[in-house]
Amino acid sequence: GNSVTQMEGPVTLSEEAFLTINCTYTATGYPSLFWYVQYPGEGLQLLLKATKADDKGSNKGFEATYRKETTSFHLEKGSVQVSDSAVYFCALSTNRDDKIIFGKGTRLHILP
Amino acid sequence: DVKVTQSSRYLVKRTGEKVFLECVQDMDHENMFWYRQDPGLGLRLIYFSYDVKMKEKGDIPEGYSVSREKKERFSLILESASTNQTSMYLCASSPDRGYYGYTFGSGTRLTVV
């Protein structure tokens, strides 16, 4: 079946550090891939998405590239800020699937 | 701005009470979903609905029911609240089956005492 595996957290970085959160997936068909972000006390917000291989999603300085050959969708940011502290969820949906499948989330702490 | 609105941000209820969590979306979306979120367990799907008056069980439907009488409103019902239902509850909607992503509400943190 379809699944998403993302790195366990928490991840703690200093401000202005480079961020990578790994995400790999297993899917039948041709999935769309997503990153969602959840700030403390809030619901999830769509951060970025990619709908086909080699697409790059980007938003707020975050990027992720849909890599079909490695079945990955790693989230990156060149210089993190304290305000990026949140939980990040990788997710997928396929043409045939009814629902989005979420990873378990990675908590990110950015220290000033 | 499109929205999914959950009626309460924080709720405290007693064991055995009947609890209603309300969710309203203003985007004319066909599909609506209820999740609960617990530390270490991620998001778990409780129920979903693809149309008015339709409902489907998710991964953890036990102890819950839902109601969708109107397209914009999807209610989650805890028939007899228990302490193990203390959790963050998230509602979401989408125009399709998920291919373009969901829009989430802000969540309801429910505590059952």
Side-chain angles (χ1 to χ4, degrees):
Chain A
N2 299 335
S3 66
V4 174
T5 303
Q6 61 182 108
M7 63 190 291
E8 291 192 26
V11 174
T12 303
L13 295 172
S14 297
E15 204 166 24
E16 299 184 2
F18 184 85
L19 168 71
T20 300
I21 301 178
N22 290 336
C23 172
T24 57
Y25 68 89
T26 302
T28 54
Y30 300 94
S32 285
L33 300 173
F34 309 89
W35 277 102
Y36 281 82
V37 59
Q38 184 181 32
Y39 298 105
E42 300 290 327
L44 278 69
Q45 301 174 24
L46 180 63
L47 180 60
L48 54 85
K49 67 182 180 187
T51 57
K52 61 183 189 295
D54 300 324
D55 268 3
K56 179 185 282 187
S58 61
N59 187 22
K60 298 182 181 181
F62 291 89
E63 294 182 339
T65 301
Y66 188 143
R67 301 282 187 204
K68 192 170 173 62
E69 64 278 9
T70 54
T71 62
S72 64
F73 194 55
H74 305 321
L75 182 68
E76 295 181 337
K77 186 175 185 183
S79 177
V80 292
Q81 306 300 313
V82 172
S83 58
D84 294 326
S85 297
V87 180
Y88 293 82
F89 292 88
C90 185
L92 71 81
S93 177
T94 66
N95 279 327
R96 303 186 205 103
D97 205 4
D98 292 341
K99 301 169 288 297
I100 290 181
I101 308 264
F102 290 90
K104 292 202 169 179
T106 302
R107 184 174 296 277
L108 175 65
H109 294 293
I110 306 299
L111 303 175
Chain B
D1 198 14
V2 294
K3 275 191 173 176
V4 176
T5 302
Q6 294 184 231
S7 54
S8 305
R9 291 296 299 273
Y10 300 94
L11 213 50
V12 179
K13 296 292 182 181
R14 294 193 179 279
T15 301
E17 277 193 77
K18 190 169 186 176
V19 181
F20 294 85
L21 302 184
E22 306 288 346
C23 176
V24 177
Q25 50 97 1
D26 65 0
M27 297 167 282
D28 200 35
H29 284 173
E30 301 288 335
N31 309 288
M32 297 187 75
F33 307 83
W34 274 106
Y35 288 87
R36 65 176 282 176
Q37 182 180 18
D38 302 286
L41 298 177
L43 296 169
R44 292 183 290 169
L45 182 63
I46 306 171
Y47 268 96
F48 57 102
S49 168
Y50 291 150
D51 202 351
V52 177
K53 297 193 186 294
M54 287 185 63
K55 59 185 179 184
E56 299 280 347
K57 292 180 180 179
D59 301 318
I60 53 162
E62 296 78 20
Y64 303 94
S65 62
V66 290
S67 172
R68 190 153 182 216
E69 296 296 319
K70 294 185 178 181
K71 189 176 186 179
E72 67 270 18
R73 186 180 297 270
F74 191 37
S75 303
L76 180 69
I77 303 158
L78 287 66
E79 296 290 343
S80 177
S82 64
T83 55
N84 63 12
Q85 293 178 309
T86 292
S87 187
M88 168 72 102
Y89 289 88
L90 295 166
C91 176
S93 73
S94 72
D96 62 358
R97 298 288 176 101
Y99 197 73
Y100 296 103
Y102 296 168
T103 301
F104 280 85
S106 296
T108 296
R109 184 163 295 282
L110 172 68
T111 303
V112 182
V113 297

